[in-house]
Every structure is written in C-alpha cells, then in structure tokens.
Amino acid sequence: MYSCIAYTEALKDEWDLFAHKRGTVFHTSAFRQILISSFGYQCLYHAIVNSDNRICGIIPLVVGRSLAMKKVGASLPFVNYMDICTDSEEARSFAINAMKDLKERFKLSYVELRLKDQDTEQPEWHRSLQHHTFLLPLTEDEESVLSLSSRSNRNHVRKAYKNNWFTVSFDVGYLDRFYKVYVKRMKQLGSPAPDISFFRRFFELLPDHAFLLSVLDQQTGEVVGGMLLLKSPSNATLYYPYGANLIEYNSKYLNNFMYWEAVRFGIRSGLNYLDLGRSQTGSGTYKYKEQWGAKPEQLKYLVYNGSSQSTGAPDKQSLHLFVELWKIAPSFITDSAGKRLMKYILP
C-alpha cells in the first residue's frame, strides 16, 4: 500500500503543501535547505507515498556525528521536537518502520525521533524523558495572558515597562549585533554557536515565517538581548528556537521584558500559542517558564539502534567536563572552533 522514496526537488511543492497542512515550519523543504547550506549535512529526507504516488507522510532525517563520532540520524537537529507528519495512523506506522530500514540501509549507529504529542509503544525504541517544552496559550486580551503568570513575574514585567529601561525592534538589520550577544551568552553556558550565516538563512529562505526581536537599551541604543522567532501557521504556534541576553541586565528584568514582547508579537500575529522552548526537567529555566503560566509538556526522545541496549545522545551530566572547558577556553578559540564543530556534531 505504501512505499518510501527519497526526496527530490520534483517533490518539493507537494512536500511543502503537505508540511504546511499537517506539520510545522520545521517540516518544510526550506528548513532542509537551511541545514544543508549552513552545515553541509547529509539529508536523508524521504516521503511515504501511496499506490497513486500521493504523499501520505514525510520523514525529515539528517545524518551527522554523535560526540562519540558515530554516524547517526536525527529527526531533526536544531529542533526541540517534531512529531511524525502523516495523514493517517497506518502511514505513521509505516513511517516508523521505514526509519528503522533507513538506519540499516545507511549504516547508522542509531536514529532518533524527537516527539511531543506522539509516542510509539514498539519495544525496540528506547525512550528518553529528560526534557519538557512549555506552551503558553495566547488570547487577544494581553492582560488575560499576563494573569496566567505568577505575581512576581507580573510585577517584574510591569516594572521593566514603568522604568522605560528597554525598547524593542523587529528590524533584521540588528542581526549582527544580536549575534554578538548570542555568541557571548552561549559561551557562558558552555555551548558552541553556529556561524551567523545560519541565522541569516532563516530570513532568506523563510521570509514569511522568521522574525528577529531585538531588545535595545533605551539610553545607549545597544542591543542587549534578542530572539529569533518562527511563525508556524499550521499549528498556530510561535516558536522561540534561539535567543540570548546580557546577564548584567538581569536586575532590570530584561528576560521578562523580552518574553513579554514575544507574547505581544504572537498575539498581534493571531497565533494561539507561544512555545517557550525545551528545558531539562527541574532546571532553573524549567522553573522560570512555569512562572509564565505555561504548562510543561513531556518530550519523548526515541532512539532505535537495532539492539536491546539503550544508546543515544549523551545526557547533560556526561557532557559536564566539555561544558566547563568551553566556558573557560579563550573566546578566540571557541568562536572559531564552535562554527566548525557544529558541522559535525548534531545538536
């Protein structure tokens, strides 16, 4: 009834029509091109088609290296979660089995699915439940959304506006200045940052979906924080995949101001949800996002390696030494090495 065929440019229009109808902005061929152009990844995108050669499901799969330098596949790197996109439960079951076949055909150590609303009870898929995402419901009434927050969070938002500490801009011309803030903050967190060309390609290849929210110091005009926001009309969700701020502005509640401006943007855009992104269960960012009234939703990362032994991406604890070394290494080393490292390690 179904067959699995490799993606070609001839499938592009039908693929994107299916992605926009049943998936998210991350399922589109444009995001595939962003990954290829930025990192040179091998993309094993496949479509599930029926006997009439009509697309009934899409499999975005990217091949790279794990920190153990094993050849692995992920659906999808740089994405916190992305449920399998099919038009029926039968096509979904076929797609899961097809991914197992792709693992064997391309000699991958394992394949990883990053799911939220879906799961699979097949015993050969090993589950990791270390992360949650947070969805904040949006309504036309800003005060109703703010009322979901904790009392202290509401006070911090209002104080930032009362003191007129910041202003906001959606001018993409601030990208270079935002990027400097982003690289600095990623280093403080012990994480490499991709080249700025990665961010530029969002605005080139997803011009109707990508937006840069920059926060400026009201007095100096300097960019002190920002977010890359992605609209996904198919599920009426505004995603916040990348962002950073200067920690010296924490006392002025910069983060509260920035998140609230994202909320206001989502409301103006007519979207129903703001996805506040992934956090490890019980972490500081987990607790911070709870203060906004967003409900934690369990992410289910599933790994298939063809054996009963569990394996997959390393957890945070196993990366502790690498993270600490990255924090203290000179910036002239990490800035350059990070851009190269991202091409080989699937985040």
Side-chain angles (χ1 to χ4, degrees):
M1 181 178 181
Y2 296 110
S3 58
C4 180
I5 62 173
Y7 174 88
T8 66
E9 285 302 302
L11 290 174
K12 182 179 182 298
D13 291 343
E14 187 182 1
W15 178 290
D16 284 337
L17 186 64
F18 193 90
H20 284 301
K21 183 178 181 181
R22 299 183 179 275
T24 69
V25 65
F26 298 109
H27 288 87
T28 63
S29 65
F31 192 72
R32 172 183 179 271
Q33 191 57 49
I34 289 172
L35 295 177
I36 292 174
S37 301
S38 300
F39 307 108
Y41 286 143
Q42 179 186 6
C43 288
L44 301 183
Y45 278 44
H46 283 70
I48 305 301
V49 299
N50 62 14
S51 56
D52 296 324
N53 285 323
R54 180 179 63 83
I55 291 181
C56 300
I58 52 180
I59 301 176
L61 185 66
V62 167
V63 174
R65 296 284 173 178
S66 68
L67 286 177
M69 296 312 294
K70 294 181 179 180
K71 186 181 179 184
V72 301
S75 182
L76 206 58
F78 292 96
V79 178
N80 293 330
Y81 63 87
M82 194 178 72
D83 289 319
I84 300 168
C85 185
T86 60
D87 65 2
S88 68
E89 184 59 35
E90 292 78 10
R92 178 173 170 265
S93 296
F94 187 91
I96 291 174
N97 287 323
M99 293 193 73
K100 292 161 63 175
D101 293 338
L102 292 173
K103 182 262 178 195
E104 302 300 334
R105 192 193 318 170
F106 292 95
K107 296 180 171 56
L108 306 178
S109 179
Y110 63 81
V111 292
E112 181 184 52
L113 293 173
R114 301 175 179 182
L115 309 177
K116 180 175 74 71
D117 296 326
Q118 299 173 348
D119 204 343
T120 176
E121 297 179 358
Q122 300 184 50
E124 52 277 286
W125 288 86
H126 306 285
R127 302 166 86 242
S128 173
L129 304 175
Q130 300 179 36
H131 297 95
H132 287 76
T133 194
F134 290 79
L135 285 182
L136 180 65
L138 305 178
T139 66
E140 293 183 3
D141 181 7
E142 291 185 5
E143 282 301 314
S144 295
V145 179
L146 189 58
S147 69
L148 300 174
S149 294
S150 66
R151 181 178 179 180
S152 63
N153 193 58
R154 294 196 302 271
N155 289 338
H156 292 162
V157 169
R158 288 167 176 153
K159 189 171 184 179
Y161 284 90
K162 180 180 179 181
N163 287 279
N164 199 29
W165 284 321
F166 309 110
T167 187
V168 67
S169 172
F170 287 89
D171 184 352
V172 181
Y174 284 111
L175 181 59
D176 286 358
R177 291 156 71 178
F178 158 75
Y179 180 72
K180 291 180 181 179
V181 173
Y182 181 82
V183 171
K184 180 178 181 179
R185 186 62 184 137
M186 289 303 101
K187 178 170 170 51
Q188 291 170 342
L189 295 171
S191 176
D195 187 78
I196 191 173
S197 61
F198 173 63
F199 295 101
R200 288 198 180 110
R201 288 187 175 100
F202 280 94
F203 305 105
E204 295 168 2
L205 297 171
L206 286 167
D208 297 327
H209 299 83
F211 300 86
L212 180 66
L213 185 164
S214 297
V215 178
L216 285 69
D217 183 303
Q218 185 73 268
Q219 291 187 331
T220 67
E222 289 301 309
V223 172
V224 295
M227 296 173 162
L228 173 65
L229 300 172
L230 292 177
K231 286 184 185 179
S232 186
S234 57
N235 60 348
T237 299
L238 181 65
Y239 289 95
Y240 160 42
Y242 310 104
N245 63 282
L246 297 179
I247 59 175
E248 51 264 41
Y249 284 85
N250 285 354
S251 62
K252 293 184 176 180
Y253 312 116
L254 169 56
N255 250 358
N256 304 76
F257 177 89
M258 187 164 65
Y259 271 70
W260 184 243
E261 283 296 332
V263 168
R264 298 177 72 187
F265 178 75
I267 293 173
R268 293 196 303 272
S269 301
L271 300 173
N272 296 336
Y273 300 98
L274 170 62
D275 190 303
L276 298 179
R278 183 183 71 180
S279 290
Q280 191 162 18
T281 306
S283 66
T285 57
Y286 180 104
K287 296 173 183 177
Y288 175 77
K289 292 169 185 177
E290 273 191 316
Q291 295 179 31
W292 284 92
K295 301 300 181 184
E297 298 197 20
Q298 180 72 64
L299 298 183
K300 290 148 286 195
Y301 284 15
L302 308 180
V303 170
Y304 173 77
N305 64 359
S307 74
S308 59
Q309 184 177 359
S310 178
T311 187
D315 58 26
K316 188 174 182 180
Q317 189 59 37
S318 64
L319 293 174
H320 178 73
L321 179 59
F322 173 83
V323 169
E324 294 306 313
L325 287 174
W326 197 266
K327 289 179 181 178
I328 63 175
S331 294
F332 74 87
I333 293 177
T334 56
D335 289 354
S336 177
K339 298 172 185 178
R340 293 177 172 84
L341 187 62
M342 300 295 281
K343 295 183 179 182
Y344 303 103
I345 304 300
L346 292 182

